[in-house]
Structure formats: C-alpha cells, structure tokens
Amino acid sequence: MWQKSASLAENEALELQKAPSLRKRFILSGAGVISVIALIAINLVFNYSQRLADLSYDRLLLSALLQMDENILAEDGRLSIDIPWSAFSTLAQANEDRIFYRVESSVDGYITGNQSLESTPPSPSELGKPQFYNQTFSGEMIRLVWLERDVTEANIQGSVTILLGQTRLSRETMASSITTRAVQVILLIAIVAIVLIMLGSHLVLNPLHRIEELLEERQPGDLTPIKLDTPKETYQLKIALNHFMARLNKNLEQLENYTAESAHQLRTPLASLKALAENARDQTTPERQEEALEQIVQQSETLSETVTILLNQAVVSHRLQTQRLIPLDLVALIKQSCMEQAVAALRQGIHLSFESDTSKVMILGEAFSLQQMLNNLLDNAVRYSAGNGLNDQNEQLVEIRIKQDVQSVRLSIIDYGDGIADDEKKRVFERFYRANYEISGTGVGLAMVKEISDRHQGKIKVTDTQPKGATISVDFPLYFDREGEL
Amino acid sequence: MRSLKKVLVALIFAYVASLMANPVVYESDSALDQGGNFFQEQRTLNIYSTVDLDAFEPILKAFVETYPATKVAYYDVNSLELYHKVMAEKDRPKASLIVSSAMDLQLKLVNDAYAKTYQSSMTQALPEMAKWRNQIFAFSLEPVVMLVNQNLFPGGELPKNRLDLLQIMRHHSQAFHGKIGTYDIRKSGVGYLLASQDARQADATWGRMIEAFGSHKVKTYCCTSAMIDDVAAGDLLLGYNLVGSYAHKRALGDPRLTMIMPTDYTLLMMRSVLIPKLAPNAEDAGKFIDFLLSEKVQSLMLSENLLFPIGDASQAINLSKKRSHPTRIIELDQQLLVGRDHAKQSRFIRSWESALELSELD
C-alpha cells in the first residue's frame, strides 16, 4: 500500500516535469513579443538617429553653402568668390570635421577649393536646387551639398557650381549618442515589462493555485461546494468543480442507499432460503424432502433473478453516469424489445401489440439503458396482466403505443391487469416498492425505469387503463439535429 | 613674368634646401643608458620648425637629457617654406615633427589628412581651442605686438593702439618714411596669417593701415628677428605685427625697445606642432609633444623668456577679460581655412601689394 502510493507520487512528479507549464508559456510568449517589439524599435531608432543627425548637420552645411553663394562676385570679367569667415565658423560647430569645397563656373572651370574634389550629384542637376549626398573623399566618407545656379552678374553668362562637404564625425557621434540612449531606454522598458509579466503570471495563476491547495487540503469524504471568492476567469472552473462534486456526492449517496437496500432486500430471501433448507433437512420422508428441495431451487432462482436485476441496475446506473447520450431511433429500439419479449409473453398467454403513428422517431438516449427500461416496462406489464381474467380477450393483451407530438414523443405501455390504486401510483417508482406482493419481482424495476427516464429528461406517469389496468407513459423530448430536422 | 617668378621661387627653394641640409643636432652628453652601457642604436628625431633656434635650444637640450636614447636634428625653416617642404615630402616624410607659428598652414595640413593622430594625458588636458582632431597641438600662446624704438620715436608719446599710430604717422609723416617694418605676407606664412586676421578683425582699420604703410614706403621682412634687429639698430622706428615672445625677450634686455600691445585689440596666436601622417619615429615625436606640454618645459619657457606657455592659456583668457582692451585669440579650427582659400589668398595678396605699392616681383 505504501509502496504503491510512493510510486504514484513518483509518477506524478515525472508527469509534472513533462507537462507543459502554463506560466512558462505565458512568460515566453510575452518575452518573445516584447523582444520582437524591442528589436523593431531599436532598428527604427538606428535609422531615425542617422536621419536626425544628417538633418541637423545638413542645415549647417546648407547655411554655409548659402553664405558662400552670396559671396560669388565678378572680378576683372571673371567669376570668383570671397568666402566669408562666418561660413566656416558655421561649419566649425561640427568641431572635429574636416571641410572640403570646390567652386567652379561653366565658363572658367575651376575657381577655388580642392582641385581633386570632383563630383556629379546623384540626381539630375537642377539649377538653384541644393542636393545632399555622401561620397568617399580623402580616405573618408564625407557629406556633400551641391548647388548649381545661374550667374546673375552683368556681362557673364553661364552657371556657377558650389560643392561643400564635411566629414561625418559629428554626425556619427550625434547619431550614436541618440541611439545609445534610446537603446538603453528600450532595453530598460523591455526588461521591466518582462519582469512585470513574470510577476503578473504569478498573480494571474494564483487563483488556480488557491483552488488546487483548497482541494488538496480537503478530507477525502468532503464533497461540499468550494466557497472561495475567485475572479471571473476561474469562476466557471469553481462552478464546474462544485457541480462535479455535487454529482459525485449524489452518486455516492445513491450507491450507499442502494447497497443498504440491496443488502436488506437480499436478506429476506436468504432467510427464507435458510428456513427452507432447515425444513428440508428436518423432513423425514423422501417425498416431502424432495418437495422442500424443489422449493429451495425455486427460491434460489428467484434470488438469482433479483441479483441479475440488481446487477443490471448497477450497470445501467453506471452507464447513465458515464455514457454520452446519442441520437437514437426509438421505434427501432421498441420493436427490438417487443421481439425479445414476445415469446416469453406468449408463454404466459399474453399478446404484445405495437402501434406507432410514425416509422422513425429520433431522441437523445443511451441504447442499453433504454433497452433495459423497455424490457422492464414490458416485463412488468406482462407480469401484472398474467393470470387475470383469462376469459376476457382484452386482458390478455399488452399494448405498446408511440405517439409523436410537436416537441416530444409519448411511449405508452398499456395493460389490462388489476391496475394500480391511486394512492400507490406515486410510490411505484420507489425502490423495492411492490404494489402487489402476490406477483414475483424485486421491486427494483420501476425505480430503475424512473431513473433512466429522468436521465433522458422524460416525464413518466401512471394512469388507469379503461376499463381496468394500468398505463405507464413516458414523454421523451424529440431530438432535432442542427438543420432542425427530425 | 610667370616663368621668371617660377625660377625665382626655385632659387629660393634651393637656397633654403642648402640651409636645411645642415641641421643643428643635439644629443645627450653622456650617451649611456641607465645601465651604463652605450646605446646600441641612437634614434634620431627630425624636427622642422619655424621657432628661432635661440628660443628653442634650451628645450631641445632638456629633451635629449631626459631621453638620452634620442638625438634631435633641428631644421630651422621659414613658415611658408616649411609648408611646401612638408607637402613635397608628404609620401616619404623626413621629419617626425612639424613646429610652426603659421596656424592656418598647419591646420590645412591636418584638414588635407597629412597629420597623424596622437593622444596622451597631456594632449587631453589642452583646452579645445588649442588642438584639433587630436592631430595638431598648440604649445605656446603669444600676443601679436608692435615694437618701437622709443629713443627715436617722434612726438614724445608712444602709440597705444593702431589709431594712435595712424595719427602719429600723419603728424610726423616725414620721420616715418621708410622706417616702418612688417612681414612680407608673400614670403612668411605667419605674416600672412596675422595680416589676414587683422583684415578679418577690423577691415576698415586694416585698410587705412596698409594705405599708410604704402605711402610711407614700408619695409617688408621674412622674420620677426630681422625686424627686431632693425628696430634696435634704429633703421626702423616701428615694427608691426611681431611675435610677442621674441619682442618681449629683446625689449627686456634693450632699454631702447618698447613692446606695445595694441589696445583696440590684441591678437593672440599659437605655435603648434603636428606629426606627419607617415612620419618615421612617431613614438619619439609623441614623447616630444608630451615633453613640450609638460609642466617642466612650460615653466622653462616662462622663466627663460623663451616663449609664452600655452599652459597659461586659460589664465590668459581670463586676463584678457579683465584687461582694459580686447584680445582676439586665433583658435585652431576650420575657420583658418578661409584665409588660405585660393581665391581669397591671391586677392588679399594683390590688394596688399597694390596698397603697399610693391611690384609683383618684389
């Protein structure tokens, strides 16, 4: 016993190890999403900081270029330039960056600046429109601004081109300082978010743990509902658990009652068996002894039957608890039951008659239980009809009728026996209640029928047959499939 | 004309080259290392410099004493020649260090990527305006001054600023004829720098100055020391735009000489040093830069009246605010390139020549 529980615990531990963790999944997917977002953000920041640095330093570059442009002048009929000091002091704000420039005109060619700095802008040249671009020069990547415009001096035709460039040191410094700071912030946010997710996951899953703990701490027999304030998400779980426990509790109660009553029920025939056996033992003549033994055999058969019925009921109960209800043809089921019972009934001189206003009617049900129910009902009807008014033709008949309604179908089993008194009608479905002790039976049958009917959401009732006898009818709800067809 | 000019330039080059062929060499008296052994191989540090040998010698001697494994070959060159020489040797530099007072030419070398990057704790400590790109470093900060021979100066009172000078020249026009000296901006790099900065600072005053210089037959010089000699000898009444440290040292030892820092504005220039990009023995060059910037050498410059140390730069800036007249520090940054713009330079020299009534050939 101990070893078994130890290995059980081991198995549980192993299973727990293999089982996917909800929390881990939650954290991993959260962290994954955050990482992707962070990577995208970092990438955007990289591009953005480059653009921002270029934007700000391009303004300086353009401002210097325009200052130069304003100082283009004509000198002895040739174009020249008097670069203002302020132009380069503007550029000196990028304090470590080298400066390159070149001024030329369409007429005279090179005017001043770096002779080796030659360049055509990437886009087709457009007069008066400055263009910015990068180019390698003097062993470094430099940023250039290019401007070509018409000469406005008198007597000089053509255009003048100014190229002004600076190295990218300050731009890179600015971009990387923006990037560094932004990346720091992004990483910090990402880490904080992941930590929050981890904490949050603990908080979110906590109600589950609380329910788990509560269940673990319970006494084995405690099936009372869980009284725990839970969030909406676990409320349904709690309700489901409570329903489940309620069902379990009911089952247990039933089982307890059933066991007690079965035992009680078996004790009487056993006692009588014992009396018969003692009687047989004490008989002196063989004839009487044989008679007594015959009685014992009969009693044993009855006992055996009772046990079979008890077992059947146990099976039915079990199936009703465990099996799902599926769509079934009630007509076909009844036909089968009638055929099975017909011969046995005839032997007792009873005719079974089956009438149905439909050839097929679908209900949700469990085949074995329904079968048992029908067998019981028929068996009962036959049993209570037999030996009554043999002269009357009607009394030897048990009728089975199926009548379909809009929402339900009614199954009626009609006998013409002695009938059931009004004050007993309510009690016939109690377990071990027998209306007529003259007639053999366990008293279990109708109780089981009621149980099966309940499980099928059927309404069962007992009425009188005219002129005499009893009618038991069960109303089953009809099954409609999804299209609303029968 | 042009070819004649070229021949002349070539002749000057040849002359300078012959001078430079014989550097002054300094080495430690005891060519022994700390272990008492002779140095297996003594390294040579070639320095091209515009600083007068008189002013630099004590520093060079101190250097070889501190680093006996290195000997120093010192080539004294005019600042403009220095630039051309460095450019000519740019692919196979002979010099490991270039020392010059022509800040604009030095900066142009750096801008055109001919200088090597060097960083040390000493260079880090320099103020931003005294270095650029960690490739050029200033080691002295000097006022640009006027020097007068007070014994011969007419009118009794010495000028305090440029406007005073113009007035005195107008009143005693005859006395100043041929008695004013200044740099020949065509021959001297530092001369051009100072003239262009004058023009930048006060364009109108500068125009009047060179008009006056022209009408009084100004004499032009290659170097500060020659100008000081002539002022001391009485051949000149006044030298304009002289490097402060030289003038200061001579004025201390000569009662005839008075140094004047113009009160309208005083330019402050820096001497700078750089290592050529492909320089041999760059390691010793770096050591030399650190040595120049060291406390020891900076205080040596001050105590021996060699140069005005850059270490006092921040102090000098503070002082300049307290002083009664403004100072203008020429900073080591990209603006210096404007003065050396090809078009601007030739226009400036042309206007200078015409104002001074000099022929192009002079």
Side-chain angles (χ1 to χ4, degrees):
Chain A
M1 192 65 194
W2 265 104
Q3 266 183 341
K4 195 179 168 190
S5 78
S7 78
L8 201 70
E10 234 168 69
N11 280 344
E12 273 177 3
L14 206 70
E15 204 179 353
L16 184 68
Q17 223 170 21
K18 280 184 195 163
S21 157
L22 212 58
R23 188 169 176 227
K24 211 183 272 175
R25 248 187 246 172
F26 183 60
I27 292 171
L28 277 182
S29 54
V33 168
I34 286 167
S35 309
V36 168
I37 290 172
L39 281 179
I40 291 171
I42 286 171
N43 192 34
L44 285 178
V45 161
F46 262 106
N47 294 335
Y48 175 72
S49 62
Q50 281 287 357
R51 282 224 315 277
L52 193 66
D54 267 344
L55 203 68
S56 6
Y57 281 99
D58 280 353
R59 286 197 185 129
L60 292 185
L61 205 57
L62 183 64
S63 139
L65 180 92
L66 294 177
Q67 290 179 53
M68 286 170 73
D69 182 54
E70 271 177 21
N71 287 276
I72 299 276
L73 45 88
E75 202 173 48
D76 307 330
R78 289 167 65 91
L79 278 178
S80 186
I81 183 171
D82 185 20
I83 300 175
W85 295 89
S86 60
F88 278 29
S89 72
T90 306
L91 293 180
Q93 289 178 50
N95 32 15
E96 300 278 86
D97 280 310
R98 301 192 279 144
I99 299 171
F100 309 98
Y101 63 97
R102 180 184 162 98
V103 183
E104 62 188 25
S105 77
S106 59
V107 186
D108 306 321
Y110 170 82
I111 296 172
T112 190
N114 299 68
Q115 244 162 339
S116 52
L117 181 66
E118 275 188 78
S119 173
T120 43
S123 329
S125 56
E126 198 177 315
L127 287 182
K129 192 176 174 240
Q131 288 191 35
F132 295 93
Y133 53 97
N134 295 325
Q135 181 188 324
T136 314
F137 183 74
S138 183
E140 238 179 290
M141 187 62 87
I142 63 169
R143 181 78 169 172
L144 279 171
V145 58
W146 177 96
L147 177 72
E148 183 177 10
R149 67 158 172 95
D150 283 322
V151 178
T152 49
E153 301 292 335
N155 306 328
I156 298 175
Q157 296 291 315
S159 67
V160 62
T161 305
I162 309 175
L163 260 170
L164 179 64
Q166 62 181 165
T167 50
R168 301 191 50 94
L169 221 71
S170 297
R171 293 160 193 261
E172 303 304 340
T173 313
M174 178 176 171
S176 79
S177 77
I178 295 173
T179 310
T180 312
R181 178 48 66 89
V183 166
Q184 279 170 354
V185 170
I186 289 170
L187 286 183
L188 185 74
I189 289 173
I191 289 168
V192 166
I194 288 171
V195 168
L196 284 181
I197 282 179
M198 286 161 84
L199 293 178
S201 73
H202 194 75
L203 215 64
V204 164
L205 296 178
N206 203 26
L208 285 181
H209 290 308
R210 278 195 0 238
I211 291 177
E212 177 195 310
E213 277 165 21
L214 211 68
L215 289 181
E216 282 290 346
E217 281 168 6
R218 285 200 162 200
Q219 297 295 326
D222 185 0
L223 288 174
T224 54
I226 301 170
K227 289 193 194 79
L228 189 70
D229 291 327
T230 58
K232 280 180 186 148
E233 286 73 14
T234 48
Y235 180 76
Q236 291 304 329
L237 176 69
K238 185 181 84 173
I239 295 299
L241 275 175
N242 283 347
H243 285 177
F244 177 72
M245 286 198 297
R247 281 209 304 274
L248 199 61
N249 200 19
K250 200 177 151 202
N251 278 359
L252 275 178
E253 272 172 16
Q254 276 179 3
L255 192 65
E256 273 165 20
N257 288 340
Y258 184 69
T259 313
E261 286 179 34
S262 300
H264 181 73
Q265 195 61 27
L266 288 174
R267 190 190 280 164
T268 317
L270 275 176
S272 106
L273 203 57
K274 191 187 170 197
L276 285 171
E278 278 169 355
N279 185 30
R281 185 189 62 195
D282 298 341
Q283 292 302 323
T284 46
T285 65
E287 292 82 15
R288 297 193 64 154
Q289 206 159 34
E290 199 172 313
E291 197 182 324
L293 284 174
E294 186 61 34
Q295 279 176 333
I296 291 176
V297 170
Q298 267 179 20
Q299 188 69 24
S300 299
E301 269 170 9
T302 312
L303 189 58
S304 161
E305 220 168 286
T306 305
V307 168
T308 306
I309 288 173
L310 284 175
L311 272 177
N312 268 351
Q313 182 161 22
V315 171
V316 165
S317 274
H318 177 72
R319 287 187 76 96
L320 285 181
Q321 297 292 346
T322 55
Q323 298 294 307
R324 285 183 157 275
L325 299 185
I326 52 167
L328 290 172
D329 182 8
L330 188 61
V331 177
L333 264 175
I334 292 170
K335 274 183 184 165
Q336 203 188 333
S337 283
C338 290
M339 277 191 277
E340 278 171 15
Q341 300 274 334
V343 180
L346 261 183
R347 209 176 280 157
Q348 301 188 46
I350 311 285
H351 290 280
L352 298 184
S353 125
F354 174 62
E355 284 172 47
S356 172
D357 56 357
T358 174
S359 61
K360 188 180 179 189
V361 59
M362 299 299 286
I363 62 163
L364 271 180
E366 203 278 309
F368 181 82
S369 322
L370 284 175
Q371 203 85 55
Q372 288 296 320
M373 174 181 174
L374 288 167
N375 286 348
N376 257 292
L377 284 173
L378 289 176
D379 188 47
N380 260 332
V382 168
R383 218 187 283 271
Y384 281 82
S385 304
N388 274 303
L390 279 169
N391 51 346
D392 192 345
Q393 194 66 24
N394 263 353
E395 287 179 4
Q396 289 169 342
L397 189 67
V398 168
E399 289 176 56
I400 300 119
R401 286 188 197 152
I402 290 180
K403 193 170 184 303
Q404 190 183 333
D405 212 339
V406 185
Q407 290 291 331
S408 59
V409 57
R410 168 168 292 185
L411 165 66
S412 309
I413 313 286
I414 305 159
D415 71 59
Y416 295 90
D418 290 338
I420 299 165
D422 284 349
D423 59 336
E424 285 177 347
K425 277 181 187 138
K426 284 177 192 165
R427 299 192 58 202
V428 287
F429 297 117
E430 286 175 17
R431 212 179 283 263
F432 303 116
Y433 178 79
R434 200 178 297 170
N436 188 348
Y437 279 91
E438 313 282 291
I439 298 164
S440 68
T442 54
V444 171
L446 280 181
M448 188 168 82
V449 166
K450 171 87 161 74
E451 193 184 334
I452 295 170
S453 162
D454 285 350
R455 175 73 173 104
H456 289 81
Q457 288 164 10
K459 284 178 198 130
I460 194 162
K461 61 180 177 190
V462 183
T463 51
D464 291 329
T465 312
Q466 294 305 324
K468 65 169 196 159
T471 298
I472 297 181
S473 58
V474 187
D475 291 348
F476 292 104
L478 284 174
Y479 167 72
F480 298 93
D481 63 10
R482 278 176 202 156
E483 283 78 34
E485 303 281 319
L486 281 174
Chain B
M1 279 250 290
R2 276 198 174 266
S3 62
L4 199 60
K5 192 177 174 183
K6 272 185 186 167
V7 169
L8 204 71
V9 168
L11 276 176
I12 292 167
F13 266 124
Y15 171 67
V16 168
S18 72
L19 276 183
M20 287 180 62
N22 302 308
V24 188
V25 177
Y26 296 88
E27 51 192 321
S28 175
D29 292 339
S30 56
L32 296 171
D33 65 16
Q34 284 167 337
N37 307 313
F38 281 102
F39 290 108
Q40 294 289 315
E41 208 173 316
Q42 220 174 358
R43 293 190 301 270
T44 306
L45 182 67
N46 291 321
I47 303 176
Y48 289 176
S49 169
T50 64
V51 182
D52 287 356
L53 191 55
D54 291 347
F56 227 42
E57 193 166 37
I59 297 169
L60 298 175
K61 282 182 173 163
F63 181 76
V64 293
E65 283 313 311
T66 313
Y67 300 101
T70 308
K71 65 178 177 184
V72 175
Y74 190 78
Y75 299 79
D76 189 352
V77 203
N78 164 299
S79 49
L80 190 59
E81 310 308 340
L82 175 63
Y83 176 75
H84 290 299
K85 182 117 183 100
V86 173
M87 289 299 283
E89 288 179 4
K90 67 182 188 230
D91 295 326
R92 293 189 63 192
K94 186 177 170 189
S96 304
L97 275 176
I98 309 297
V99 179
S100 175
S101 46
M103 296 167 69
D104 47 2
L105 292 176
Q106 292 278 83
L107 198 99
K108 199 163 154 56
L109 285 174
V110 176
N111 192 65
D112 294 340
Y114 297 126
K116 195 183 182 73
T117 303
Y118 176 73
Q119 259 179 300
S120 71
S121 57
M122 302 303 287
T123 65
Q124 299 280 2
L126 276 175
E128 278 303 313
M129 59 149 200
K131 63 183 172 190
W132 194 52
R133 291 176 64 85
N134 286 318
Q135 291 179 338
I136 178 169
F137 311 99
F139 62 91
S140 84
L141 180 73
E142 321 231 348
V144 178
V145 302
M146 301 191 284
L147 188 72
V148 296
N149 187 319
Q150 57 181 357
N151 291 356
L152 303 175
F153 208 79
E157 206 167 308
L158 297 178
K160 290 190 184 65
N161 54 43
R162 291 173 183 80
L163 294 177
D164 281 359
L165 177 65
L166 285 169
Q167 208 160 5
I168 295 168
M169 280 166 75
R170 209 165 45 241
H171 287 306
H172 307 276
S173 187
Q174 206 55 44
F176 280 97
H177 205 82
K179 295 278 190 175
I180 302 168
T182 191
Y183 271 116
D184 187 336
I185 66 170
R186 298 166 299 184
K187 290 177 188 160
S188 163
V190 66
Y192 179 88
L193 170 72
L194 300 178
S196 67
Q197 290 293 326
D198 264 345
R200 182 190 174 185
Q201 288 301 332
D203 202 24
T205 313
W206 171 249
R208 290 172 64 191
M209 290 287 289
I210 55 171
E211 284 301 327
F213 286 172
S215 60
H216 290 91
K217 287 282 165 238
V218 73
K219 280 190 187 169
T220 58
Y221 289 79
C222 74
C223 331
T224 291
S225 49
M227 245 185 294
I228 298 173
D229 287 343
D230 282 4
V231 175
D235 292 340
L236 291 179
L237 286 178
L238 174 136
Y240 180 75
N241 272 0
L242 274 64
V243 179
S245 58
Y246 299 158
H248 175 67
K249 188 174 186 188
R250 290 285 287 273
L252 281 178
D254 193 335
R256 294 169 299 177
L257 298 176
T258 299
M259 184 175 96
I260 298 165
M261 293 206 241
T263 54
D264 47 352
Y265 66 89
T266 305
L267 287 175
L268 290 170
M269 55 154 270
M270 294 179 236
R271 292 177 196 273
S272 60
V273 57
L274 62 87
I275 308 172
K277 189 162 208 161
L278 304 170
N281 203 5
E283 193 189 326
D284 279 339
K287 270 189 211 160
F288 192 87
I289 290 176
D290 286 349
F291 185 73
L292 267 183
L293 297 175
S294 69
E295 189 70 40
K296 178 183 165 189
V297 173
Q298 293 280 306
S299 55
L300 183 75
M301 288 180 189
L302 194 62
S303 62
E304 297 295 313
N305 294 309
L306 305 174
L307 302 166
F308 293 118
I310 189 74
D312 289 350
S314 48
Q315 214 176 328
I317 296 163
N318 288 336
L319 273 178
S320 71
K321 283 179 187 153
K322 279 182 208 158
R323 272 185 210 143
S324 54
H325 66 275
T327 55
R328 291 280 177 271
I329 297 176
I330 307 171
E331 297 183 9
L332 274 175
D333 71 17
Q334 295 97 316
Q335 295 182 61
L336 288 172
L337 296 170
V338 176
R340 285 296 177 179
D341 171 63
H342 174 73
K344 200 178 189 90
Q345 183 177 337
S346 45
R347 186 179 309 113
F348 188 71
I349 289 177
R350 270 203 312 280
S351 69
W352 181 84
E353 279 171 340
S354 78
L356 264 54
E357 297 168 17
L358 299 166
S359 77
E360 274 189 38
L361 274 175
D362 242 350

